[in-house]
């Protein structure tokens, strides 16, 4: 069972340590009514901010989720993101020390120096600290790379950005140190190789655009296009036939509605606080697809 001891941190501090476009923190009050009542294995192939996993941990620790997650697999195809999670899981004390340095030296010049640094010469802990620093100080918390794979988001307008919360990082680290919690950089398709009947899988892919001017649909060099959405729907159906419980979130575009015909499709009002365009923040309608 995942547990955070009182000496590590208090339960209320367990929340995402990164800002992430499409993060589900604002939707958790809806989701808690939709989770399966019983499961042991949990898989989250589009990890992002990890809001749903941390929410499940909190529900388990408060005994609102009566059955323990005994197997956890958290994955994403973003190597910088996965490295940050692995460092929080295994080297959180070293990470906090470096984040304290970033917080002390933060300035306009320092931000762009860190943004332009060659990360191939950094250790895993240094890469993770840099990513968290840039994430908490860049414009609107966006993660975006150019065609060369280089982070290119400008500095945000923050008078005194809170780069990290030590208490929360310790709580997150404790949650990630679950004895059966695997964190890997890999494609969502690998869940087919790992999921067992009765497991719960939560998919939160880059959303299918509602229109031609919608925001970017990928956080890595490779775009997540219509072919990928069709492939994901095929993976969803394979997991359904295997006897897994699957929850998927996407935009309410007609394409997505048709792609998951035959499954339970729910429209949920959600808030988006992170977007590169201010007129696309605020209330939107998410589509949640369930097979249970």
């Amino acid at each position: 069972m995942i547990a955070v001891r009182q000496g590590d941190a208090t339960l209320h501090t367990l929340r995402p340590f990164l800002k992430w476009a499409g993060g589900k923190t604002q939707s958790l009050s809806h989701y808690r009514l939709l989770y399966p009542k019983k499961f042991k294995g949990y898989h989250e192939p589009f990890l992002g901010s990890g809001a749903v996993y941390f929410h499940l941990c909190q529900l388990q620790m408060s005994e609102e989720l009566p059955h323990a997650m005994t197997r956890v697999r958290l994955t994403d195809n973003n190597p910088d993101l996965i490295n940050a999670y692995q460092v929080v899981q295994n080297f959180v004390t070293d990470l906090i020390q470096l984040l304290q340095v970033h917080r002390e030296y933060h300035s306009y010049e320092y931000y762009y120096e860190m943004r332009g640094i060659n990360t191939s010469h950094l250790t895993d802990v240094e890469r993770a600290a840099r990513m968290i620093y840039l994430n908490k100080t860049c414009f609107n918390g966006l993660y975006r790379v150019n065609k060369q794979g280089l982070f290119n988001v400008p500095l945000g307008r923050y008078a005194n950005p809170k780069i990290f919360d030590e208490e929360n990082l310790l709580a997150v680290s404790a949650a990630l140190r679950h004895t059966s919690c695997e964190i890997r950089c890999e494609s969502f398709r690998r869940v087919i190789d790992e999921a067992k009947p009765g497991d719960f899988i939560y998919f939160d892919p880059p959303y299918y655009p509602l229109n031609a001017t919608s925001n970017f649909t990928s956080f890595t060099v490779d775009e997540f296009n219509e072919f990928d959405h069709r492939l994901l729907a095929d993976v969803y159906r394979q997991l359904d036939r295997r006897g897994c419980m699957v929850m998927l979130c996407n935009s309410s575009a007609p394409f997505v509605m048709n792609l998951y015909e035959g499954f339970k499709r729910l429209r949920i009002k959600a808030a988006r606080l992170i977007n590169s365009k201010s007129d696309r923040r605020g209330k939107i309608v998410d589509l949640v697809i369930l097979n249970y």
Side-chain angles (χ1 to χ4, degrees):
M1 178 174 179
I2 297 172
V4 177
R5 300 186 304 273
Q6 288 298 94
D8 292 326
T10 53
L11 299 184
H12 75 276
T13 64
L14 187 57
R15 61 183 181 276
F17 63 94
L18 291 170
K19 299 178 180 181
W20 209 254
K24 294 302 185 290
T25 299
Q26 304 299 318
S27 302
L28 297 179
S29 59
H30 298 292
Y31 287 6
R32 70 188 308 156
L33 304 175
L34 302 177
Y35 299 141
K37 301 301 181 185
K38 183 178 180 179
F39 61 93
K40 291 187 177 180
Y42 176 70
H43 308 258
E44 191 167 338
F46 297 93
L47 184 53
S49 73
V52 169
Y53 172 66
F54 297 131
H55 188 221
L56 289 170
C57 290
Q58 278 203 290
L59 293 177
Q60 182 173 291
M61 289 185 287
S62 64
E63 299 184 349
E64 293 182 58
L65 187 67
H67 300 281
M69 294 181 282
T70 57
R71 289 179 293 105
V72 175
R73 190 173 178 85
L74 308 175
T75 62
D76 201 285
N77 70 340
N78 184 323
D80 289 329
L81 176 69
I82 290 301
N83 176 69
Y85 272 91
Q86 290 172 337
V87 168
V88 171
Q89 181 186 44
N90 299 304
F91 306 105
V92 68
T93 302
D94 295 337
L95 175 66
I96 288 171
Q97 290 176 351
L98 285 180
L99 287 172
Q100 289 170 339
V101 173
H102 286 313
R103 183 167 61 189
E104 179 181 353
Y105 285 97
H106 173 63
S107 66
Y108 179 92
E109 293 78 13
Y110 186 77
Y111 174 86
Y112 284 101
E113 179 185 348
M114 288 299 103
R115 195 186 78 164
I117 201 168
N118 183 351
T119 60
S120 65
H121 302 303
L122 302 182
T123 66
D124 289 345
V125 178
E126 289 169 340
R127 282 174 52 214
R130 171 185 176 272
M131 181 184 184
I132 295 172
Y133 166 69
L134 294 177
N135 176 261
K136 292 302 182 71
T137 55
C138 72
F139 176 72
N140 206 36
L142 288 170
Y143 182 91
R144 184 184 64 203
V145 295
N146 59 24
K147 292 184 182 297
Q148 289 73 45
L150 301 176
F151 185 79
N152 64 353
V153 181
L155 178 67
R157 300 185 184 94
Y158 306 109
N160 187 28
K162 187 172 184 179
I163 294 167
F164 72 103
D165 180 332
E166 181 172 348
E167 186 178 27
N168 183 59
L169 272 178
L170 292 172
V172 167
S173 181
L176 295 175
R177 288 197 307 273
H178 181 283
T179 55
S180 297
C181 182
E182 289 187 81
I183 305 174
R184 295 183 179 275
C185 183
E186 61 188 30
S187 165
F188 68 89
R189 290 170 287 182
R190 287 295 306 278
V191 71
I192 289 294
D193 302 325
E194 303 294 335
K196 299 179 180 179
D199 283 0
F200 175 36
I201 297 93
Y202 171 68
F203 287 117
D204 186 16
Y207 277 20
Y208 187 83
L210 286 170
N211 52 61
T213 60
S214 289
N215 224 32
F216 63 92
T217 58
S218 179
F219 305 105
T220 58
V221 176
D222 300 321
E223 292 185 359
F224 199 88
N225 55 32
E226 184 172 313
F227 173 82
D228 295 305
H229 281 283
R230 293 186 184 277
L231 186 59
L232 176 57
D234 182 61
V235 170
Y236 189 106
R237 286 183 164 78
Q238 290 185 59
L239 293 169
D240 174 61
R241 292 193 293 270
R242 186 175 298 181
C244 299
M245 294 168 286
V246 193
M247 176 178 177
L248 182 144
C249 301
N250 209 323
S251 74
S252 55
F255 170 81
V256 180
M257 287 287 290
N258 294 332
L259 206 54
Y260 293 93
E261 187 174 359
F263 294 105
K264 188 184 300 182
R265 294 162 294 177
L266 308 174
R267 293 178 183 269
I268 293 179
K269 290 183 179 180
R272 286 292 176 272
L273 304 180
I274 298 177
N275 198 295
S276 63
K277 298 184 183 299
S278 60
D279 61 351
R280 292 176 194 161
R281 301 176 203 140
K283 293 292 183 180
I284 64 168
V285 176
D286 278 352
L287 193 64
V288 178
I289 299 101
L290 305 173
N291 76 330
Y292 52 89

